[in-house]
Amino acid sequence: MKHEFKKILIAVDASENAKRAVSYVGEIVSDGRGFRITLLYVLRRVERDLFPDESTWMEKIEKEKKSATKMLERLKGLLVEKGLDAKDVTHELIEISDFSIAQAIMDFQEKGGYGTVVIGRRGMSKAEEFLFGSISNKIVHYAKNCAVWVIE
Amino acid sequence: MSNEVQELVKRLRPNLSIGQYGRIYRDTTEFMKISYGDVIALEDQHYLVLRDEAERSFGIEDPKYWVKRCIHLESGERKILKLVFYEKFTLKLGDLDIPCYRSPRKEGRILDLVRGDSRFMQGVSKKDEKGNLVRIIDVVSGKRLDHHVFEMEMPHREYFFKEFPGILEKFIDSCRAIEFLHENREIHGDIRRDHLWREYKSGNYVWIDFDYAYEFEENPFGLDIFGLGSLLIYLAGKQIYTMANLSQILGDKDLEFEKQDFSLLYKNRIVNLRKLFPYIPEQMNVIFMHFSQGAEVFYETVSEFLADLEPCLEIIKNKEAS
């Protein structure tokens, strides 16, 4: 598949960094033509082990889904505010049970032929990176056939 | 109620004498109430409670009221019963606070996964009449590996070449056990020194306690891998070294330490052991340094860690022979 650099995938979550990344892309591309942007929210199902029962767990997942959908709408609004045409901005929420969010983002990028991937990065200490891993670092290391913009 | 327990004990364990007969619990929800002399009934099996288990840290006993030391009345075997206690607590690792959850479900699942594997504690889980998942654990007859190592009375050099190769060989197997968990999408969750035991009879190393679960950003195995690294450094050093206890081994010798010589998480612990013991092979020290404040690249899987560690065993053995 051909990867078009004007086809931009912004991976977002509920953080401020994601908002910053979206805002940055809005500033950069709003005057240009031919850009198509997809906002992608990968929702990893919170582990069932963290909850005493099925219903509290499902409640939590539903709550996260709702909040992710709202967040995507808000971020789309932000891009439109910056001057992008609403028809050029789409959003996707995908739910995974696998461990790796980075892998899900890269799979989506590959499948959709996105030539640019944008991700926000929060300041993380070395210890945090060791213990919990970093989505943005993983994407920088393993992404293929695309440019990666990491917004800090 | 007391009579019921007394009759049960008399019938099943006629030679057992206890000081007090309590009551039979089929619902373990209120575990604080269950104490010495009570019996926990699970399906058709009975467990006489002897005491609450406790963890010792800094010389203080911290009782674990949800963990009961018992005698299985039908067989006479000692068992540990872990009752359901949903707890969210903060695990402190150096400067980091990690929110952790106690998950009976996770531990029950791992017990099923590792059944018959001597590298892990063994047990089964059964539901009480209220659906609480009770884990019935076989007692590991042994002692903490770190205590076993620490108590070996010999100079470090002698320890490193005579004892450590055997310890490392078994520790590598313990790492493979964790690798096996990871391959099966499970984590240990709390790899620390008091969770790896050495069995008296077999000398086997056994992982215990798998009920910790925690949230992570991208790598679910990081905490386990860090635990393995810290344990390896302890075993290679035979103890922990900090600036405070260095004088015992250095004597009058003066050594300078930099930030990168210390642990990434436990900022006062020296991980650059080769600086203290120059006969430690460089290849092994490189592994230690991946857990230091100077590290730029971290292990993401146990397989990567093992790929570096396994060759070290031969190197040490050959060094010993030469």
Side-chain angles (χ1 to χ4, degrees):
Chain A
M1 172 174 289
K2 193 175 170 231
H3 293 80
E4 299 168 43
F5 76 91
K6 282 193 164 184
K7 211 175 161 192
I8 300 175
L9 178 66
I10 314 177
V12 298
D13 59 15
S15 68
E16 271 304 304
N17 318 291
K19 202 173 153 192
R20 261 204 309 279
V22 172
S23 187
Y24 178 86
V25 173
E27 292 289 340
I28 295 278
V29 307
S30 57
D31 294 335
R33 280 185 186 178
F35 286 101
R36 276 171 302 151
I37 295 174
T38 301
L39 296 157
L40 174 67
Y41 198 122
V42 179
L43 184 67
R44 182 178 48 221
R45 276 180 164 229
V46 58
E47 290 284 315
R48 164 70 180 84
D49 289 342
L50 309 185
F51 297 85
D53 54 67
E54 206 78 6
S55 63
T56 346
W57 176 53
M58 290 312 288
E59 251 171 53
K60 173 80 176 171
I61 290 174
E62 284 311 312
K63 208 172 150 192
E64 283 191 339
K65 265 202 245 178
K66 269 188 195 156
S67 128
T69 310
K70 270 189 194 163
M71 171 63 67
L72 284 168
E73 286 295 341
R74 260 203 307 275
L75 293 175
K76 179 177 175 174
L78 187 64
L79 287 174
V80 174
E81 261 173 44
K82 297 269 180 198
L84 277 134
D85 197 327
K87 71 170 174 30
D88 293 328
V89 183
T90 56
H91 56 69
E92 288 273 350
L93 170 65
I94 55 174
E95 224 182 309
I96 59 165
S97 307
D98 281 343
F99 290 140
S100 178
I101 291 178
Q103 189 57 54
I105 295 169
M106 289 184 287
D107 289 347
F108 193 90
Q109 172 266 329
E110 185 58 38
K111 246 188 201 163
Y114 293 91
T116 305
V117 174
V118 185
I119 187 156
R121 174 157 72 184
R122 72 182 173 93
M124 206 181 217
S125 70
K126 275 188 191 181
E128 285 173 305
E129 194 192 326
F130 191 140
L131 295 187
F132 312 120
S134 157
I135 297 168
S136 55
N137 277 4
K138 209 168 193 176
I139 290 180
V140 168
H141 281 131
Y142 300 110
K144 282 180 194 156
N145 306 319
C146 67
V148 180
W149 299 355
V150 179
I151 316 299
E152 214 164 63
Chain B
M1 280 294 181
S2 299
N3 282 347
E4 202 184 351
V5 171
Q6 195 169 5
E7 276 161 26
L8 190 70
V9 173
K10 215 169 150 188
R11 178 165 59 86
L12 294 172
R13 293 278 116 203
N15 295 331
L16 185 69
S17 130
I18 58 165
Q20 118 190 12
Y21 296 98
R23 52 173 291 191
I24 296 179
Y25 284 88
R26 289 187 170 79
D27 169 8
T28 59
T29 311
E30 292 187 61
F31 56 76
M32 293 285 280
K33 284 186 180 168
I34 306 174
S35 60
Y36 175 69
D38 292 329
V39 166
I40 296 171
L42 296 168
E43 295 168 3
D44 57 349
Q45 302 295 297
H46 301 86
Y47 302 87
L48 176 72
V49 177
L50 300 178
R51 61 180 160 85
D52 294 323
E53 286 287 293
E55 241 169 39
R56 278 188 80 82
S57 69
F58 303 109
I60 297 164
E61 288 246 313
D62 186 13
K64 293 158 97 178
Y65 297 108
W66 67 98
V67 186
K68 310 288 182 190
R69 176 70 67 134
C70 298
I71 292 178
H72 177 219
L73 289 176
E74 279 76 7
S75 67
E77 284 173 14
R78 289 187 304 151
K79 297 282 177 188
I80 290 170
L81 262 60
K82 294 176 91 173
L83 309 179
V84 169
F85 175 37
Y86 287 106
E87 181 193 21
K88 184 182 174 188
F89 56 98
T90 303
L91 183 66
K92 253 196 123 34
L93 280 182
D95 296 338
L96 286 184
D97 289 337
I98 303 169
C100 273
Y101 304 79
R102 218 173 264 291
S103 171
R105 189 174 175 271
K106 169 179 176 267
E107 190 160 61
R109 204 172 54 229
I110 294 182
L111 285 172
D112 288 342
L113 176 70
V114 302
R115 183 144 311 128
D117 186 336
S118 60
R119 301 171 301 181
F120 297 95
M121 74 177 187
Q122 295 293 299
V124 291
S125 39
K126 283 185 181 164
K127 283 187 177 165
D128 70 8
E129 67 170 23
K130 282 280 153 79
N132 294 306
L133 194 70
V134 178
R135 284 130 295 141
I136 305 156
I137 309 287
D138 296 349
V139 174
V140 176
S141 179
K143 104 195 271 185
R144 283 170 52 166
L145 176 62
D146 62 325
H147 286 180
H148 167 73
V149 162
F150 185 78
E151 285 162 13
M152 289 180 178
E153 283 186 20
M154 61 184 76
H156 182 271
R157 191 187 183 101
E158 189 183 340
Y159 162 79
F160 190 77
F161 289 112
K162 289 221 167 89
E163 302 294 337
F164 182 62
I167 291 168
L168 180 59
E169 198 159 1
K170 286 184 179 171
F171 179 70
I172 286 174
D173 210 31
S174 302
C175 294
R176 284 200 199 103
I178 298 300
E179 187 183 32
F180 167 77
L181 288 187
H182 293 182
E183 282 165 358
N184 285 279
R185 291 180 53 85
E186 298 287 2
I187 57 165
H188 181 287
D190 194 19
I191 293 187
R192 50 181 200 189
R193 282 184 283 135
D194 56 345
H195 285 162
L196 186 59
W197 283 54
R198 180 184 179 275
E199 269 187 336
Y200 289 132
K201 260 192 188 168
S202 62
N204 287 341
Y205 297 172
V206 182
W207 291 110
I208 64 164
D209 287 359
F210 326 125
D211 57 346
Y212 279 38
Y214 72 103
E215 289 175 271
F216 53 89
E217 177 162 324
E218 178 65 13
N219 181 8
F221 308 125
L223 201 54
D224 276 1
I225 294 168
F226 195 86
L228 291 178
S230 300
L231 203 44
L232 171 70
I233 293 163
Y234 183 96
L235 296 175
K238 200 176 167 293
Q239 67 174 78
I240 287 170
Y241 298 96
T242 64
M243 294 309 279
N245 69 6
L246 261 191
S247 56
Q248 342 164 338
I249 56 149
L250 287 181
D252 293 337
K253 214 163 69 179
D254 201 18
L255 277 181
E256 279 194 10
F257 289 92
E258 295 160 275
K259 204 176 153 198
Q260 58 260 37
D261 295 325
F262 292 87
S263 164
L264 181 60
L265 249 74
Y266 307 108
K267 310 271 190 231
N268 63 341
R269 290 189 195 170
I270 297 167
V271 298
N272 188 358
L273 295 186
R274 197 168 143 87
K275 222 169 196 176
L276 303 176
F277 310 111
Y279 43 84
I280 291 182
E282 177 62 29
Q283 292 90 328
M284 179 155 236
N285 209 56
V286 166
I287 302 175
F288 303 160
M289 297 308 281
H290 279 298
F291 298 88
S292 77
Q293 290 177 48
E296 294 296 338
V297 179
F298 308 119
Y299 292 113
E300 281 185 13
T301 64
V302 179
S303 314
E304 289 172 4
F305 177 65
L306 278 171
D308 284 352
L309 184 58
E310 281 172 330
C312 293
L313 183 61
E314 282 313 303
I315 293 169
I316 297 170
K317 281 182 179 169
N318 292 338
K319 242 188 155 182
E320 181 196 6
S322 63

